[in-house]
Every structure is written in C-alpha cells, then in structure tokens.
Amino acid sequence: MTPEYHVSSVAYLGGHCLRLTFADGLVGDVDLTAKLQGDVGPVFEPLRDETFFAQVVVDKELGTVVWPNGADLAPEVLHEQAVTPA
C-alpha cells in the first residue's frame, strides 16, 4: 500500500458518504452507496445501516477507514474514487 494513499481523516456526511483526507493532501467526498448494493458479504452487510456506517473511524496503523465490526476498505480504491467520483 502506498503511504500517500493513506487516509488521515474521515468525516461522515450522511447516507453512505464520507469526506476523506489523504496523506498526499487530497480531500475528496466518496459515496459508497453503490458498493453496498447487492451481495456484499457478512462483513459489509452492517454498513448498509446508516447509523452503523456513521461509526466510521480512521485506523492509523492500516491507513484507512474501519468500522466497529472490522470492515475496512482499501485506501487506494478510496483515493481513486475521491479523485474521479462515480
């Protein structure tokens, strides 16, 4: 994982949207609604609930966002989506 893609801060914006700040200085909004559609598996299923999704934090060791159940997302994928929103 490239350190410049590490997430340094996260803000919950409502719904399934996050504002992320990356180590390279990029600040971008990411809407994860589409990623939580269909069969997402048992780890990501709880994230569909907006109250649970809002419990997102940054794990400094992993350099990405995580939720209380251990779900996390690859920071390079989040960085790419923040640069080129869907």
Side-chain angles (χ1 to χ4, degrees), residues 21-53:
T21 303
F22 295 87
D24 66 357
L26 175 72
V27 177
D29 295 346
V30 176
D31 183 350
L32 298 172
T33 303
K35 291 193 183 296
L36 296 172
Q37 300 299 310
D39 183 20
V40 296
V43 172
F44 292 100
E45 184 71 33
L47 275 63
R48 292 181 181 185
D49 178 271
E50 291 177 13
T51 302
F52 187 82
F53 187 86

Side-chain angles (χ1 to χ4, degrees), residues 9-86:
S9 71
V10 61
Y12 174 65
L13 300 177
H16 292 102
C17 298
L18 304 173
R19 177 161 295 142
L20 303 172
T21 303
F22 295 87
D24 66 357
L26 175 72
V27 177
D29 295 346
V30 176
D31 183 350
L32 298 172
T33 303
K35 291 193 183 296
L36 296 172
Q37 300 299 310
D39 183 20
V40 296
V43 172
F44 292 100
E45 184 71 33
L47 275 63
R48 292 181 181 185
D49 178 271
E50 291 177 13
T51 302
F52 187 82
F53 187 86
Q55 296 178 45
V56 65
V57 296
V58 173
D59 182 314
K60 298 290 186 185
E61 191 171 316
L62 294 177
T64 194
V65 293
V66 298
W67 285 267
N69 69 339
D72 65 52
L73 297 169
E76 58 273 10
V77 173
L78 294 169
H79 191 277
E80 181 178 330
Q81 189 171 347
V83 171
T84 56

